Amino acid sequence: MLVQRQRWDRGTRTFVPAGEPVEVDEAKPTKTGMAVQTPANRFLKGPIPWDWVIRAAKLPGKALEVGLCLWRLKGLHPTRDTVLLSNAELKPFGIGRAAKSRALHALENAGLITVTHHQGRFPSVTVLTSRA
């Protein structure tokens, strides 16, 4: 299949034709430079303290689901103690902004996490692994 090659024009902030058409193999996807994470290739990395899971499970609402998402993010970045919890991370669970906020509040009150809020940004969350 022939497609028109395009380039990004910073001035107009759009793609514009860049010259001659190029042959594209439709069966082989083109690499864009960023890996897209689909729900099928997400994972939960442990070990997760069982006491932490039990305490989170006793909390109201979506606290356990939010907590597990926090552990997933912590597993992706093992050298960091603090992670940013985006709304997109919780979308597969059907958890909105308000439920996320309530869950973070419940987890923090239970002593399982600490939360630092930033105006206009996602909260920074530290998962606490030892009981205080």
Side-chain angles (χ1 to χ4, degrees), residues 98-109:
K100 174 178 95 171
S101 180
R102 289 189 301 270
L104 289 175
H105 185 71
L107 290 166
E108 189 171 32
N109 284 345

Side-chain angles (χ1 to χ4, degrees), residues 67-88:
L68 291 176
C69 287
L70 291 169
W71 276 101
R72 189 187 91 74
L73 292 172
K74 184 174 168 55
L76 287 173
H77 309 286
T79 58
R80 291 192 222 161
D81 290 333
T82 302
V83 295
L84 292 177
L85 182 61
S86 70
N87 296 333

Side-chain angles (χ1 to χ4, degrees), residues 8-94:
W8 181 255
D9 184 352
R10 289 183 182 177
T12 61
R13 298 180 58 92
T14 60
F15 285 101
V16 295
E20 73 284 343
V22 290
E23 185 72 26
V24 175
D25 184 3
E26 291 179 358
K28 185 176 179 184
T30 58
K31 189 166 184 163
T32 61
M34 289 186 65
V36 177
Q37 247 196 3
T38 62
N41 65 4
R42 290 186 180 178
F43 62 92
L44 182 61
K45 185 175 180 181
I48 302 171
W50 194 245
D51 179 57
W52 197 102
V53 174
I54 291 170
R55 290 171 59 199
K58 292 178 182 177
L59 297 174
K62 299 289 185 175
L64 178 60
E65 290 93 332
V66 171
L68 291 176
C69 287
L70 291 169
W71 276 101
R72 189 187 91 74
L73 292 172
K74 184 174 168 55
L76 287 173
H77 309 286
T79 58
R80 291 192 222 161
D81 290 333
T82 302
V83 295
L84 292 177
L85 182 61
S86 70
N87 296 333
E89 180 68 28
L90 302 173
K91 190 173 184 176
F93 293 96

